[in-house]
Amino acid sequence: MRPDRVDAVLPPGVTVWRLAIDVDDDTVPVGLDAAERAHAARLLRRADRARFLQTRAALRCLLGRRLGCPPDAVRFATDPGGKPRLAGGARPAFNVSHAGAWALLALAETGEVGIDIERCDPARDLAGLHAAILAPDEATGDIGFHARWVAKEACVKAVGRGIDAVQALAVRRAGAGGRIAVRASAGWPWLEATWLAAPAGYAAALAWHAGA
């Protein structure tokens, strides 16, 4: 399966791709390296393996096309905070997220990018979870838990921090078009973000910053 480019108003040099996942197919794609195959083998659930393998294969295809090399020639590294990137400081920066039967992949020619997609479960009691991710002076307002979560998760992924940092961020709607106003604690870069159109039953968001 090939990812489809997402039609959205994004900053120059940023592209987002959406991939439909076959959660019953955990066949190891050709071209993955030993570390990727080992990571997949450690995942106990077939659906988790399928999501990882298919997303990584799609990422390799997108990056290989951008770099002008075969997908299996793409080499990855991690920065000191553990965020994946291309080896040798090559561009583009990238980030991926998958949930349920969908994955999102974001590429950025400059700066850094983070993306998140989550499956919404209206049957869950989310009141306690919602309160737990709010910044100290952040109001719940008209943003539901899943919309707020993907916004914050995309932001922390853009800066390479863990999910324990979500309470350092406050988010709110910023006019039409899905744009998100982000207020972060001192020491964070200036972040921009937007919600993305997502398949029914999912929420998704993208965040980016100019980098160092």
Side-chain angles (χ1 to χ4, degrees), residues 96-115:
V96 306
S97 179
H98 45 68
W102 296 97
L104 291 177
L105 306 92
L107 307 183
E109 296 297 331
T110 61
E112 296 293 337
V113 68
I115 198 161

Side-chain angles (χ1 to χ4, degrees), residues 31-40 42 60:
L32 269 61
D33 64 23
E36 290 164 332
R37 294 194 298 271
H39 177 82
R42 289 193 295 270
R60 281 186 170 275

